[in-house]
Amino acid sequence: MTIKKTKTGWQVDIQPGGRGFKRYRKSFKTQGEAKRFESKVRAIVDGGETYTPPKKDRRKLSHFIEFWFQVHGGSLKDGQARRKKLHYLCDLLGDPILLTLKPSDIAHFRQQRLETGKTPNTVNHDIGYLRAVVNVAIRMDEWKGDNSFSAVKALRLPENELTYLSNEQIQRLFEALKISRSRDVSLIVWLCLKTGARWSEAQTLRSEMVRNQSVTFANTKNGRSRTVAISDDLYHALKAHGPSVGRIFRHDAYEAFTNALSRAGITLPRGQRTHVLRHTFASHFVMNGGDLLTLQKILGHRTLQMTMRYAHLSPGHLKEAVKFGPRISVDTSLTL
């Protein structure tokens, strides 16, 4: 048995049965791995057993997607939709044998997705979903190899400015909502603006979740329920609007909201149409002196980092730039 250095690492040359028996060569990234493998084979042979190299794992990526769904994905709120998306991505990759999938293959796949017009954010999510599948297999001891998806770093994304409505725009929006044929849209908008609820959380709110001058959102993005206090007038409006049991808003009001924005002359960045209401609540909360920890609880953010996106709107934050900046005396006549 010998170990020698190669261009790509270290190679172990083994003939376990001695002269005349089958010979095996196996390469490793490090010398330590090569030595451990040599010791393992030597112990097997010295014990009187015959060394048999393990068969290569020929299972395809689709197999591990199904395993992920069985042990983890099936319990997720969007498990079925995620499973369908994963199989779609798997087909685009050609359903490769996981053992043969290299980071360069994934990087090439990512570039192809970008060239078809997918946004960097979407592509990052795609790779992240696939990475999670292999991570679960590794954690459950179903897969012994590396996770090639982990070697491909996420694309860096520019931080988009979160748009929020001014008081004047809010007034214009409600004027536009007055002539809407939807009997639900105005109250949904009001609820979002006063609680920071996502549109889907407000649209699917049930009467049973409005009690004790507060509203509880159970059907949330991260699966965690949260309760927010509301004003008397909003509380009574919600109680009077829907049935005593079941969904308060029976009809989808998204299109009615879109039309009202257009009538009000409000133009928003792509992807922020309904989310602007949540951003508006958070932005005004901070500008009016609310603290970030309370805002985190109201919005249901898992980490404070997500809530910190609104920190720059704090009056104290703005004043600190003047208070703690360099103390410089300048002859203003030189700038005139």
Side-chain angles (χ1 to χ4, degrees):
M1 301 183 186
T2 61
I3 297 176
K4 62 181 181 180
K5 184 79 171 69
T6 65
K7 291 182 179 180
T8 57
W10 297 84
Q11 186 186 71
V12 182
D13 193 337
I14 305 175
Q15 202 167 8
R19 187 182 298 276
F21 287 85
K22 190 170 182 178
R23 190 175 188 174
Y24 301 97
R25 292 185 178 91
K26 188 173 178 64
S27 296
F28 297 89
K29 293 181 180 179
T30 66
Q31 186 179 25
E33 289 175 306
K35 286 183 176 180
R36 285 192 292 273
F37 178 72
E38 181 190 29
S39 298
K40 176 182 176 182
V41 174
R42 189 185 297 278
I44 291 174
V45 174
D46 290 346
E49 299 180 28
T50 300
Y51 170 72
T52 303
K55 292 183 178 180
K56 289 186 176 180
D57 193 331
R58 309 296 293 177
R59 290 177 295 177
K60 294 187 174 184
L61 179 58
S62 56
H63 167 86
F64 292 97
I65 291 173
E66 285 305 300
F67 178 78
W68 167 87
F69 184 75
Q70 291 168 12
V71 302
H72 178 70
S75 64
L76 298 179
K77 182 179 176 182
D78 64 340
Q80 285 288 359
R82 181 82 62 85
R83 179 192 195 185
K84 184 177 180 180
K85 176 68 178 288
L86 284 166
H87 277 297
Y88 170 73
L89 295 172
C90 178
D91 290 342
L92 291 179
L93 270 167
D95 194 10
I97 295 171
L98 188 57
L99 184 66
T100 66
L101 187 62
K102 302 188 296 293
S104 59
D105 298 327
I106 299 166
H108 181 65
F109 168 71
R110 182 176 68 180
Q111 185 59 35
Q112 288 179 324
R113 295 282 284 162
L114 291 170
E115 290 173 356
T116 63
K118 300 300 179 184
T119 66
N121 189 45
T122 295
V123 175
N124 280 346
H125 278 99
D126 290 347
I127 302 301
Y129 292 151
L130 291 166
R131 183 188 305 116
V133 166
V134 183
N135 279 341
V136 168
I138 292 172
R139 190 164 63 247
M140 302 296 291
D141 206 27
E142 181 73 8
W143 174 245
K144 304 295 185 182
D146 295 328
N147 188 344
S148 296
F149 293 101
S150 295
V152 181
K153 302 302 181 185
L155 297 166
R156 295 189 66 177
L157 304 175
E159 187 173 343
N160 295 325
E161 182 69 25
L162 299 179
T163 301
Y164 63 90
L165 303 179
S166 65
N167 287 324
E168 187 270 334
Q169 286 176 314
I170 294 173
Q171 189 63 40
R172 279 175 22 215
L173 175 59
F174 275 104
E175 289 296 326
L177 288 169
K178 285 181 180 179
I179 60 175
S180 175
R181 287 182 293 180
S182 169
R183 65 181 298 268
D184 293 337
V185 65
S186 292
L187 189 51
I188 292 175
V189 171
W190 187 10
L191 178 61
C192 288
L193 285 173
K194 296 298 287 186
T195 63
R198 299 177 180 88
W199 183 270
S200 61
E201 294 170 349
Q203 176 78 72
T204 58
L205 182 65
R206 299 178 64 84
S207 294
E208 307 93 281
M209 310 310 284
V210 182
R211 54 184 181 271
N212 301 325
Q213 302 301 125
S214 65
V215 57
T216 299
F217 298 107
N219 188 28
T220 65
K221 184 177 179 180
N222 60 21
R224 293 182 175 181
S225 297
R226 67 181 191 278
T227 300
V228 183
I230 56 177
S231 60
D232 288 345
D233 50 354
L234 177 55
Y235 177 82
H236 292 302
L238 290 170
K239 281 297 187 183
H241 190 80
S244 58
V245 177
R247 285 180 55 165
I248 295 176
F249 308 110
R250 297 300 182 90
H251 304 287
D252 191 322
Y254 180 81
E255 185 177 352
F257 175 65
T258 299
N259 293 336
L261 283 173
S262 179
R263 289 194 299 271
I266 298 173
T267 303
L268 300 169
R270 183 180 177 182
Q272 293 193 36
R273 183 168 299 170
T274 55
H275 227 53
V276 73
L277 302 175
R278 182 169 165 88
H279 294 324
T280 298
F281 167 82
S283 300
H284 283 260
F285 181 93
V286 173
M287 288 189 293
N288 291 330
D291 68 273
L292 293 173
L293 285 175
T294 301
L295 180 61
Q296 179 189 0
K297 294 177 182 178
I298 293 174
L299 296 180
H301 287 161
R302 285 184 178 272
T303 65
L304 184 59
Q305 184 179 1
M306 295 180 69
T307 317
M308 286 297 293
R309 294 180 297 174
Y310 304 100
H312 68 285
L313 297 171
S314 168
H317 177 87
L318 298 174
K319 292 177 181 178
E320 284 177 358
V322 177
K323 181 179 179 181
F324 298 111
R327 291 178 173 79
I328 305 172
S329 297
V330 179
D331 185 351
T332 57
S333 64
L334 297 177
T335 65
L336 301 177

